[in-house]
């Protein structure tokens, strides 16, 4: 039946008309359904959502269906009960049916079946599935459930002998309980053992892993701070991240979207433990924090004789050393850590680096504190900014999104991800600083490059710290520049396959344009200098191509001569007699003075050989531009391809301009990578008009 009927008449009239057409009595006992993934009842409230062309299905009315299933579930025949519960699990997805079944107190009937626990695993699985589908509509509150029911569901999860399908649905039910109210969270937390949840993460069944992770994340998110700390302590004790890393992330099966979301949530909730430190400024009156600051200084510089100094001398020495460490306020370095974020987190990362990798720390500080060429990299200032960048990249302080799924596999391979990333990245920063030959004025530019290096590397999802370290160090400053250039070209769509194809089609025409320009330039001619064996520039000579491109005319000229007429040039060489073009050290006049010519002269030298390659005309171009023009023009005369860098640059410029002109009308229009597929020809051409016949 076409859904167009639903738009024109009242729904009851449509159903009556269909029933009359099939001679079915009692139209009130029937209803229409449409397919939306599953069969859904059509009501006055949702009929406008149905698209024209949908196939409708006449079936039992929801009230009648609910009544039949309610009776079937209570049947003394086990087969009837099983079939009824199986059907219930399917039709309960429809909110119209669910309302009718709940009106019959059907949900409490399912609760009773679970509490009695006398049915087979198959029947219990259908019961739990149907119950979950009914509760999903929000018609009945989760808080109305009894403690006995909760204990039973938790028991299915805690038992290692429970059927896998039952465990999967039970985990789903418990997750929804936890998210519905704090009271239910406390009950579920009391009934479900964390050991069993951890055990579920280590099984091979991905669905069980996913549902166990969902319940674990619900418990963590619903917990108060004290409970959450207790749960994290337990998870750390049990090395849960290592289990996730080994059994889920490194599993042969890819991580599914739902699991990716829960891994993202776990990562977010765990890293957000650092938010308090990130938002707390340094307290200059805290002895522990002052000791940590001085610990950084003492780890970098020898302080054996410090105690023997006077107070003023010691204070002056400390200020000098804090300045070498890169603090802006060297007399009171704590002021550098007042800004939040990163607050105390910057002190934590610096102190971790200094104590965990003392050799690398000392090398960084001493290498930069001893430089006097304004290229020193300030450790403290860089560390504070780097910590802030890492907080931004790892989104510390941001609550987990309901749809987020971007997690870092490396997080699950490290106990202290932020600190370990900092230790790698601070050394990367020093390396990038040197590659950019940066000064203090370039600080922000360097930090932008480092942020890009870290973001790009983490975006490739490295699975270990060592792999991250190798990748981020390979992504040096020159690679970043190349990637930026490539992305800019992609953004301008100059690398799209259709554009590249257009470029190839335009090349011959533009190359011909460059050839003509080169020949015209040779016809204008150029003044060259003769260089004697004593390296003294003396006589001038001029060379130009005849307008018909058949003769090269050349001859000596005076210094004040400008563009001499072709008739005044006494010597000439027929183009047909030219045998070859030589450049650089292959030229005869360069071989004669081998070892005496500078690289600059070699780069400007070229010769043409003529007759039987016994004679040559030797040139030294006034500039590199003239060298490119003449060697390209002579190559054209010889029927060869032009190869100068000037030609390549000009061709690229012309191509770019031509492409942009041709794409002006396509601004803001996405260019597909491939042409649309040509549709198949029709089965016949009867629709074509025959012009050969005279119209009557």
């Amino acid at each position: 039946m076409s859904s167009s009927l639903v738009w024109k008449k009242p729904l009851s009239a449509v159903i009556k008309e269909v029933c009359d057409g099939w001679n079915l009595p009692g139209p009130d006992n029937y209803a229409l359904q449409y397919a939306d993934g599953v069969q859904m009842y059509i009501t006055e409230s949702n009929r406008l959502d149905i698209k024209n062309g949908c196939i409708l299905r006449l079936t039992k009315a929801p009230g009648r269906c609910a009544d039949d299933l309610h009776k079937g579930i209570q049947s003394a025949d086990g087969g009837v009960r099983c079939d009824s519960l199986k059907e219930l699990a399917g039709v309960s997805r429809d909110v119209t049916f669910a309302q009718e079944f709940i009106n019959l107190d059907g949900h409490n009937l399912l609760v009773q079946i679970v509490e009695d626990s006398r049915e087979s695993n198959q029947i219990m699985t259908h019961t739990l599935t149907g119950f979950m589908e009914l509760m999903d509509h929000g018609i009945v509150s989760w808080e109305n459930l009894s403690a006995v029911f909760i204990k039973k569901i938790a028991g299915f999860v805690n038992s290692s002998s429970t059927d896998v399908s039952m465990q999967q649905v039970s985990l789903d039910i418990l997750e929804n309980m936890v998210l519905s109210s704090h009271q239910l969270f406390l009950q579920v937390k009391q009934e479900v053992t964390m050991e069993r949840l951890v055990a579920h993460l280590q099984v091979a069944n991905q669905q069980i892993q996913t549902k166990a992770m969902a319940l674990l994340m619900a418990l963590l998110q619903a917990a108060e701070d004290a409970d959450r700390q207790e749960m994290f302590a337990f998870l750390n004790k049990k090395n849960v991240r290592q289990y996730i890393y080994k059994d889920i992330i490194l599993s042969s099966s890819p991580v599914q979207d739902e699991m990716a979301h829960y891994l993202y949530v776990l990562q977010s909730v765990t890293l957000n433990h650092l938010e308090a430190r990130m938002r707390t400024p340094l307290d200059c009156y805290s002895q522990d924090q002052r000791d940590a600051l001085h610990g950084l200084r003492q780890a970098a510089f020898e302080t054996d004789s410090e105690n023997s100094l006077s107070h003023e001398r010691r204070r002056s020495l400390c200020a000098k050393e804090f300045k070498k460490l890169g603090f802006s306020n060297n007399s009171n370095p704590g002021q550098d850590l007042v800004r939040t974020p990163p607050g105390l987190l910057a002190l934590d990362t610096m102190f971790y680096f200094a104590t965990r990798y003392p050799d690398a720390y000392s090398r960084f500080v001493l290498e930069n504190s001893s430089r006097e060429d304004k290229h020193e990299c300030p450790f403290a200032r860089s560390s504070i900014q780097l910590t802030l960048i890492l907080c931004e990249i790892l989104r510390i302080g941001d609550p987990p999104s309901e749809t987020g799924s971007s997690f870092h596999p490396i997080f699950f391979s490290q106990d202290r991800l932020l600190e370990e990333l900092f230790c790698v990245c601070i050394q990367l920063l020093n390396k990038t600083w040197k590659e950019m030959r940066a000064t203090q004025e370039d600080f922000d530019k360097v930090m932008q490059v480092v942020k890009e290096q870290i973001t790009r590397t983490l975006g490739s999802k490295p699975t270990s710290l060592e792999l991250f370290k190798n990748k981020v160090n390979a992504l040096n400053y020159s690679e970043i520049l190349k990637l930026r250039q490539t992305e800019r070209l992609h953004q301008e769509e100059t690398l799209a396959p259709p554009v590249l194809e257009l470029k190839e089609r335009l090349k011959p025409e533009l190359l011909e344009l460059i050839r003509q320009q080169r020949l015209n330039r040779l016809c204008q001619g150029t003044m060259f200098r003769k260089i004697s064996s004593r390296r003294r520039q003396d006589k001038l000579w001029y060379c130009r191509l005849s307008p018909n491109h058949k003769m090269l005319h050349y001859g000596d000229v005076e210094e004040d001569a400008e563009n001499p007429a072709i008739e005044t040039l006494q010597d000439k060489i027929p183009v047909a007699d030219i045998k070859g073009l030589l450049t650089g050290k292959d030229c005869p006049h360069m071989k004669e003075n081998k070892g005496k010519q500078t690289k600059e002269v070699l780069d400007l030298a070229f010769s043409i050989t003529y007759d039987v390659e016994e004679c040559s005309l030797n040139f030294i171009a006034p500039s590199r531009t003239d060298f490119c023009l003449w060697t390209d023009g002579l190559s054209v005369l010889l029927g060869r391809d032009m190869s100068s860098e000037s030609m390549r640059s000009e061709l690229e410029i012309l191509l770019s301009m031509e492409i942009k002109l041709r794409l002006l009308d396509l601004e803001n229009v996405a260019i597909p990578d491939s042409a649309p597929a040509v549709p198949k020809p029709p089965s016949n051409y009867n629709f074509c008009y025959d012009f050969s016949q005279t119209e009557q």
Side-chain angles (χ1 to χ4, degrees), residues 624-641:
R624 187 67 186 175
T625 301
D626 288 304
F627 173 86
C628 293
L629 291 170
W630 273 84
T631 53
D632 282 344
L634 292 169
S635 295
V636 173
L637 292 174
L638 293 171
R640 300 176 185 174
D641 291 334

Side-chain angles (χ1 to χ4, degrees), residues 546-564:
S546 63
N548 61 7
H549 301 168
K550 292 186 177 180
M551 288 285 180
L552 267 181
H553 297 264
Y554 65 97
D556 293 344
V557 294
E558 296 299 327
E559 190 168 354
D560 56 353
E562 290 186 10
N563 198 17

